[in-house]
Amino acid sequence: MLASEFTKMCDRLEFQTPAEFQGWRSSQKFRAFSLDKDEAERACIAMYVNALIQISHNLVAWPVIITKSESPDFKLRFGNNPEIGVEHSTITSTKYQQFRAESLRDPEDSVVFLDSFKLGGPPENNHNAGWVGKEAEREWSTLALLRTKAKLDKLNRSHFLKNARNELLLNTVSYLPNLDIQTAIRMFADQLSQEIETRKRQHLFDAISIIYGSTTIPQALVKQIR
């Protein structure tokens, strides 16, 4: 049964055809950058499924069923294929999220320098020093690794429902200007490889996908054979 909206009261959607999915998606108003966690998660899973459909990924078959769950955040089924568990997380900093929330409650017209949200703060409290070289990409990869490590720990807890395939979806909500996302992903991949090698875990995500603005990069990082 196709639901008209994906809300907290409607946690299962089934689409028989690509046209049905696209019609539903175009009717939705949720935003991936929303401060509301529930809204952001639903926007991101819709963007992810759409990206897979657009590139005719070999995982996609019909009907497509999206189910909201907990640990993992979503379950996807493409045709008769086994369910995929998708966990969602946001690449951002606590300081920036606090600023976003506070600015909605008490908006100001003053200029905000994006480098004021740098990890560790800008040097000598200079909030207008800008970003040098690949500094923005390095910061993104650091934030991505922090979120991934936390989600890997969650994946390996007993309460997390393991599926035949387990994936992580990372949504970028950040203060990082002019980010070269492909360079940032390569940096992240190197850091993640070191993390996986250093700290052995029983379970790893089979793939990690990235959302950056309106761009979705499905399965940007796929688990290496151990």
Side-chain angles (χ1 to χ4, degrees):
M1 177 178 179
L2 174 61
S4 59
E5 293 185 7
F6 201 9
T7 67
K8 293 179 181 179
M9 298 301 294
C10 174
D11 288 337
R12 184 182 185 278
L13 295 175
E14 181 172 338
F15 305 97
Q16 297 296 327
T17 66
E20 202 171 81
F21 174 81
Q22 295 301 342
W24 166 80
R25 183 170 170 266
S26 65
S27 71
Q28 300 305 297
K29 305 300 182 185
F30 44 44
R31 303 161 300 159
F33 55 86
S34 173
L35 282 170
D36 183 276
K37 180 176 181 290
D38 189 74
E39 179 182 0
E41 284 182 349
R42 283 160 164 74
C44 288
I45 198 67
M47 291 175 69
Y48 175 59
V49 172
N50 181 64
L52 291 179
I53 293 170
Q54 294 303 313
I55 64 174
S56 299
H57 194 276
N58 59 9
L59 283 176
V60 176
W62 300 91
V64 170
I65 300 173
I66 308 173
T67 305
K68 184 70 180 76
S69 62
E70 294 295 334
S71 298
D73 293 316
F74 293 93
K75 291 183 290 184
L76 298 179
R77 185 183 291 277
F78 297 102
N80 294 321
N81 294 321
E83 276 190 329
I84 301 170
V86 181
E87 184 72 7
H88 170 274
S89 192
T90 301
I91 300 174
T92 190
S93 71
T94 301
K95 184 190 297 185
Y96 183 62
Q97 289 299 86
Q98 290 173 342
F99 162 75
R100 293 180 69 218
E102 291 168 2
S103 65
L104 290 177
R105 291 194 297 266
D106 186 23
E108 297 179 357
D109 294 328
S110 58
V111 175
V112 177
F113 296 112
L114 295 178
D115 60 346
S116 66
F117 302 107
K118 286 182 180 179
L119 293 175
E124 300 179 358
N125 293 321
N126 184 352
H127 290 182
N128 196 22
W131 299 79
V132 179
K134 298 299 182 184
E135 188 177 13
E137 286 77 12
R138 287 194 294 271
E139 184 141 332
W140 183 94
S141 65
T142 298
L143 292 168
L145 183 64
L146 288 172
R147 297 310 306 148
T148 301
K149 288 166 64 174
K151 291 298 183 179
L152 280 169
D153 290 343
K154 182 178 179 181
L155 175 67
N156 281 273
R157 292 174 189 153
S158 58
H159 75 275
F160 195 99
L161 179 62
K162 312 303 189 291
N163 289 269
R165 186 173 180 84
N166 304 285
E167 299 191 7
L168 177 61
L169 180 58
L170 296 175
N171 177 34
T172 305
V173 179
S174 79
Y175 46 89
L176 301 167
N178 303 317
L179 184 70
D180 183 337
I181 189 62
Q182 294 296 344
T183 297
I185 288 174
R186 287 194 293 271
M187 290 180 177
F188 172 39
D190 291 340
Q191 290 180 296
L192 182 59
S193 295
Q194 293 177 15
E195 166 67 21
I196 290 173
E197 182 63 29
T198 302
R199 183 179 175 187
K200 301 294 184 181
R201 295 177 173 89
Q202 182 179 1
H203 302 285
L204 298 175
F205 290 107
D206 294 280
I208 300 177
S209 300
I210 309 298
I211 292 177
Y212 177 61
S214 60
T215 302
T216 305
I217 308 170
Q219 313 214 12
L221 299 170
V222 179
K223 181 177 68 176
Q224 299 294 317
I225 297 175
R226 290 173 290 174

